């Protein structure tokens, strides 16, 4: 993990947030390369969940949430971690993170009994901070999908089964944020709520577990580094009928990368008006505030029913850490020489190609390099950079380290013959090709 953290800082993937004022625990900023990798991961998820299908629509809803939303969702009552104080060093810990009944800070056994601590952040809304006009910062993106269920249904005339996808920030006042970007207080989720008829829910749950496992493999994580974990009944979230977690071997240990939950009819049932008109199977509390009927007509008997929902919910920051960890390698170059290479799947690479003129500031070479950069950039495959430093070896090393799949060198032969030298990141093989063929080559490389 230390090597990854150091690479992230040195090359501009991830920085400690508010660093020049001493930093803030559990918050991170994504730098110039980090934002590219993050956007590429989001875009791969969106393509697979929305564009490649005909049964999913997208949404980008507000982060500030009315307290009623999180009251009926059950989060006000149940979204807690057990908190323990150390009476000696005054440290605060999650009870389930304590080993051998000893304070992880000072080793003292003088600890308080665990008490529930709600993880939701509150903020006041409007000019008067009277404690009454407040909103929550959403702890999951999901609830705003449920409360928009009718809006999406009415505006798209979708029929069941169908889903609503959203990528966005979520906030949790974690007691002990830790392990770099693995557990933070502000993070991004990529969530799909897939609505199905009761009775088909178990089949769809199996379908999404398989689909999501395959997707992580497509992002460069070998299947043997992922594991499925059936969450035991006693550990299920208050809304879940069944949850399967996709676990990944993170540098600090095997932990959850994504959860796929069968939320039954709990959420739409909780947020719907006139609940007694429906046969709701989950244990929901009475709702006197909702103004919407969150139900659809059954395709067979035309009765109205509250749909069940299957939810694949992935952490974007955890995905970022996993693909980075998987791609990071040091390779021997013979003797005591080695190179650090980030073998990212090319569609995730922050920079797709670097164009390097052999001689810095040489008018002819730089003009040709700029022309190539513009033509490759216009393909809209992602970022293409021009490296006008004249140091080819140093550029190769830098681009190996940040995962650029190809470097393209322009030399004096290029001016005479309209050719360029391409160097492959993984094999380090170099070959001379015609400049005309570069667009095709990059398109093929990035869509691998
Ligand atoms: N809507 C369901 C839900 O929020 P969750 O298991 O609490 O379920 C889903 O969260 C995913 O969000 C997790 O699998 C994880 O990848 C990510 N996640 C949760 N808490 C996180 C945190 N504090 N920091 C970073 N990622 C987190």
């Amino acid at each position: 993990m230390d090597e990854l953290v150091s690479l992230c800082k040195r090359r501009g993937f991830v920085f400690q947030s508010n660093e020049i004022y001493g930093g803030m625990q559990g918050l991170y900023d994504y730098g110039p390369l980090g934002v590219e990798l993050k956007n590429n991961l989001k875009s791969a998820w969106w393509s697979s969940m929305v564009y490649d299908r005909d049964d999913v629509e997208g949404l980008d809803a507000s982060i500030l949430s009315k307290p009623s939303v999180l009251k009926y969702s059950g989060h006000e009552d149940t979204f807690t971690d057990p908190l323990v104080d150390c009476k000696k060093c005054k440290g605060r810990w999650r009870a389930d993170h304590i080993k051998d009944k000893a304070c992880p800070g000072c080793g003292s056994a003088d600890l308080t009994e665990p008490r529930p601590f709600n993880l939701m952040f509150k903020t006041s809304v409007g000019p008067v901070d009277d404690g009454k006009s407040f909103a929550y910062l959403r702890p999951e993106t999901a609830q705003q999908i449920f409360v928009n269920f009718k809006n999406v249904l009415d505006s798209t005339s979708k029929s069941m089964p169908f889903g609503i996808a959203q990528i966005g920030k979520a906030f949790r006042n974690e007691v002990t944020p830790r392990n770099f970007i693995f557990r933070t207080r502000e993070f991004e989720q990529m969530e799909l709520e897939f609505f199905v008829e009761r009775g088909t829910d178990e089949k769809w749950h199996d379908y999404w577990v398989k689909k999501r496992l395959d997707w992580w493999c497509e992002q460069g994580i070998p299947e043997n580094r992922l594991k499925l974990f059936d969450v035991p009944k006693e550990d299920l979230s208050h809304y879940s009928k069944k949850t399967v977690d996709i676990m990944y071997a993170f540098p600090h240990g095997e932990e959850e990368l994504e959860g796929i939950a069968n939320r039954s009819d709990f959420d739409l049932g909780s947020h719907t008006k006139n609940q007694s008109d429906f046969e709701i199977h989950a244990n929901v509390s009475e709702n006197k505030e909702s103004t919407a009927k969150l139900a659809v007509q059954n395709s067979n008997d035309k009765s109205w029913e509250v749909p069940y929902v299957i939810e694949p919910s992935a952490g974007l920051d955890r995905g970022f850490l996993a693909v980075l960890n998987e791609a990071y390698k040091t390779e021997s170059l013979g003797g005591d020489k080695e190179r650090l290479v980030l073998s990212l799947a090319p569609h995730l690479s922050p920079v797709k190609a670097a164009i390097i003129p052999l001689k810095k500031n040489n008018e002819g070479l730089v003009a040709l390099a700029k022309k190539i950069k513009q033509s490759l950039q216009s393909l809209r495959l992602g970022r293409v950079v021009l490296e006008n430093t004249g140091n080819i070896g140093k550029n190769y090393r830098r681009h190996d380290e940040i995962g650029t799949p190809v470097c393209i060198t322009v030399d004096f032969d290029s001016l005479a013959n309209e050719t360029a030298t391409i160097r492959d990141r993984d094999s380090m093989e170099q070959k001379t090709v015609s400049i005309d063929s570069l667009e095709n080559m990059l398109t093929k490389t990035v869509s691998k």
Side-chain angles (χ1 to χ4, degrees), residues 8 11-15 28-37 320:
C8 282
R11 291 301 189 190
F13 281 93
V14 183
F15 307 124
Y28 288 92
D29 297 336
Y30 288 81
L33 296 181
V35 67
E36 298 292 340
L37 171 53
F320 185 105

Side-chain angles (χ1 to χ4, degrees), residues 57-78:
E57 297 291 339
L59 182 76
D60 181 16
S62 69
I63 285 170
L64 293 181
S65 307
K66 224 177 148 161
S68 325
V69 173
L70 293 147
K71 172 178 153 188
Y72 291 106
S73 70
H75 285 79
E76 276 194 341
D77 287 338
T78 60

